[in-house]
Amino acid sequence: MDKFKDECGVFGIFGHPEAANMTYLGLYALQHRGQESAGIAASDGERVRVSRAMGYVADAFDGEALAQLPGTIAIGHDRYSTAGDSKLANAQPILIDCAHGQIAICHNGNLVNARELRDDLVRQGSIFQSSSDTEVILHLYARSRAANVEDAIVESVSQVQGAFSLVMLTRDRLIAVRDPHGFRPLAVGRLGDATVVCSETCAMDLIGATYVRDVEPGEVLVVSADGMRSLKPFPPAPLAHCIFEHVYFARPDSYVFGQSVNEVRTNLGRILAREQAVDADVVVPVPDSGVCAAMGFAEASGVPLRMGLIRNHYVGRTFIQPQSAIRHFGVKVKLNPVRSILEGRRVVLVDDSIVRGTTSRKIVKMVRAAGAKEVHVRISCPPTISPCFYGVDTPRRADLIAATHTLEEITKYLAADSVAYLSLEGLLSAVGAERQSYCSSCYTGVYPVAFPRDEASYLQLALKLDTEAVTRS
Ligand code: SF4
């Protein structure tokens, strides 16, 4: 589907006899945050072991693989990557052994100065195993002359800029770090005597853990046999929680940044209905991403909600498009219209976002072909006009339809009767009093953390480092 892609989900647990099994389940709940590769590292107090594989976590691990990861501390990672750098070397956790001992790391986010740091490190003799920006942190850590592990972590993380929610594992401790802006979520919970950290609270629900609080922006949380210690080594910075987590990325059953995703997302739909009302017979969500907003839209508008599009949940990476008679399946593989709901009706089609517009165009066509009399597209966020530099895979500005086309042109391209977006004010009001804490750069083009290069080379070189490796060698 034509969506922004999140980069990763992270999970960590300390003090549980089945740490690797719990991590497996946590990654399972966070699978929506990354499907390219999955990995788990575990420590039995003597040694850290890691296992990583391409694909979904359920395919990457079986009982035998988990049995090879004994210990009471574990971390795990679901990774999304672009096609070019989808390879096992970039899967996480990344494990190294250095003067400070073994350390494994998982990262959700994107480091805006990774390229500069990497170039410096390579000049000084570092040899990188992967093209991931995360490895930069490990090289800085390995080179640190700090007296202990915690100081070395603080020293290395202090040098990186951008978005990072990190979970790290040493022989005897779990460390969670969140960048001072708090771009990506990271929550802390309890499971009996064990401590859990994870990208979204839905991972806690699955294993029966209880949410306690978020890792605070700029906090380094160290969990060891001595308990939990909180360090605040970074200078404070303006908060910049990613508002797109509420719009699309996070699961609606999660709490992120201390707020219910379901409540915020439904609110987006309510506000959208008030801002962009239209005479219609039925509200139809584009599943699954448009469902919460469509419910809010239906509630606020009084127009009934019906599931006029049904999603096939079993379409995965392994789908092979037949070469024979039926070609160009496109979106039809994933969605099928319900004619009895759509035929002869004026339809409000609610989705969370439009990126390139290619999928939306096919969906409008599909709804019309099923007999809809009118199709009015309503989008529960403002026009996406700028790429993200903070851990989300986005196309270049030139490929974002809202950056290059007027609303009239978009309406014509989608072949819709009308297209309307939520306003920026509407988006921010959906998160309530916390509105000042959010990043909304992909809607404004105003970025809270500067990135050092022009957009084209940044997107190519920093987010897609494999391309860089090829072109520079
Ligand atoms: S630019 Fe958009 S997607 Fe990226 S962190 Fe900000 S709100 Fe999130």
Side-chain angles (χ1 to χ4, degrees):
M1 301 290 266
D2 180 29
K3 297 289 178 195
F4 275 16
K5 306 282 193 318
D6 208 336
E7 296 271 302
C8 305
V10 297
F11 184 93
I13 188 164
F14 180 95
H16 195 284
E18 292 185 72
N21 288 343
M22 292 297 117
T23 303
Y24 169 83
L25 291 170
L27 295 182
Y28 197 83
L30 297 172
Q31 188 75 81
H32 60 290
R33 298 184 72 88
Q35 300 92 40
E36 288 287 340
S37 63
I40 299 173
S43 171
D44 59 4
E46 299 289 329
R47 195 178 143 202
V48 178
R49 298 172 177 85
V50 69
S51 178
R52 306 178 303 175
M54 301 304 291
Y56 288 24
V57 67
D59 300 329
F61 291 93
D62 55 17
E64 205 176 313
L66 291 170
Q68 305 299 312
L69 297 166
T72 58
I73 323 171
I75 61 173
H77 193 259
D78 286 315
R79 181 170 195 269
Y80 167 80
S81 73
T82 53
D85 64 357
S86 171
K87 62 181 187 182
L88 196 53
N90 286 335
Q92 296 187 15
I94 307 173
L95 172 66
I96 62 158
D97 198 352
C98 65
H100 302 290
Q102 283 183 296
I103 188 166
I105 189 169
C106 297
H107 175 200
N108 177 205
N110 191 66
L111 308 178
V112 296
N113 63 339
R115 166 72 190 279
E116 283 71 15
L117 291 169
R118 187 183 169 106
D119 285 352
D120 277 353
L121 287 161
V122 168
R123 270 195 295 275
Q124 292 169 48
S126 291
I127 298 168
F128 279 75
Q129 300 171 20
S130 74
S131 56
S132 143
D133 58 342
T134 311
E135 198 185 341
V136 166
I137 298 171
L138 291 179
H139 282 269
L140 295 170
Y141 174 81
R143 299 174 75 89
S144 167
R145 293 176 186 275
N148 59 56
V149 166
E150 286 163 30
D151 288 349
I153 287 173
V154 168
E155 188 184 315
S156 53
V157 175
S158 298
Q159 296 173 65
V160 299
Q161 294 162 10
F164 50 89
S165 281
L166 305 168
V167 289
M168 296 185 235
L169 171 72
T170 66
R171 191 176 51 78
D172 60 358
R173 68 196 81 180
L174 173 73
I175 301 115
V177 187
R178 199 156 160 229
D179 71 73
H181 299 277
F183 277 106
R184 312 250 72 89
L186 195 59
V188 190
R190 299 289 298 171
L191 176 59
D193 293 333
T195 301
V196 176
V197 288
C198 51
S199 297
E200 292 180 37
T201 58
C202 63
M204 292 186 201
D205 297 340
L206 182 60
I207 61 171
T210 309
Y211 170 75
V212 175
R213 67 176 178 89
D214 281 2
V215 176
E216 289 175 29
E219 183 177 15
V220 177
L221 197 66
V222 182
V223 191
S224 70
D226 298 330
M228 199 155 80
R229 282 201 316 126
S230 169
L231 313 174
K232 298 277 181 59
F234 312 117
L239 294 178
H241 305 323
C242 172
I243 206 159
F244 213 72
E245 293 277 355
H246 281 303
V247 171
Y248 171 69
F249 292 141
R251 269 176 42 167
D253 49 339
S254 286
Y255 280 72
V256 297
F257 313 126
Q259 288 185 284
S260 158
V261 176
N262 175 63
E263 286 310 308
V264 173
R265 206 167 282 173
T266 306
N267 230 353
L268 295 172
R270 291 187 189 112
I271 299 166
L272 179 63
R274 289 196 283 270
E275 287 186 350
Q276 302 292 349
V278 59
D279 285 335
D281 303 311
V282 65
V283 175
V284 171
V286 176
D288 292 327
S289 55
V291 172
C292 291
M295 290 178 84
F297 194 103
E299 181 193 306
S301 64
V303 178
L305 176 88
R306 302 293 301 277
M307 298 303 286
L309 290 166
I310 300 300
R311 181 174 163 197
N312 180 354
H313 285 264
Y314 303 97
V315 177
R317 288 158 14 94
T318 48
F319 179 78
I320 298 164
Q321 185 159 308
Q323 294 299 305
S324 59
I326 313 166
R327 300 192 68 187
H328 308 299
F329 283 92
V331 77
K332 285 164 76 178
V333 174
K334 290 185 177 166
L335 297 176
N336 200 33
V338 182
R339 182 172 281 274
S340 65
I341 291 176
L342 302 169
E343 195 161 28
R345 302 242 159 75
R346 297 169 300 168
V347 175
V348 184
L349 198 59
V350 179
D351 202 357
D352 65 284
S353 55
I354 302 177
V355 180
R356 294 180 178 83
T358 46
T359 302
S360 306
R361 178 182 160 102
K362 288 174 189 163
I363 294 171
V364 171
K365 190 174 174 193
M366 176 187 281
V367 170
R368 275 203 200 284
K373 201 159 72 183
E374 295 173 17
V375 183
H376 301 275
V377 176
R378 292 293 179 270
I379 302 298
S380 62
C381 71
T384 309
I385 56 165
S386 258
C388 176
F389 299 94
Y390 311 126
V392 177
D393 183 39
T394 54
R396 291 180 181 196
R397 197 184 312 262
D399 295 325
L400 296 169
I401 191 168
T404 52
H405 293 71
T406 64
L407 188 60
E408 199 179 320
E409 288 167 341
I410 294 170
T411 308
K412 197 169 170 196
Y413 175 74
L414 300 188
D417 292 281
S418 74
V419 176
Y421 292 84
L422 185 67
S423 69
L424 183 62
E425 175 57 32
L427 175 74
L428 294 173
S429 65
V431 294
E434 301 296 318
R435 54 187 291 161
Q436 301 300 340
S437 316
Y438 279 88
C439 171
S440 53
S441 302
C442 44
Y443 309 115
T444 62
V446 179
Y447 293 93
V449 175
F451 44 94
R453 291 169 186 275
D454 68 279
E455 177 195 318
S457 44
Y458 185 81
L459 284 176
Q460 187 179 18
L461 300 179
L463 286 179
K464 300 175 174 70
L465 280 167
D466 264 6
T467 316
E468 172 209 35
V470 170
T471 53
R472 284 160 56 85
S473 62

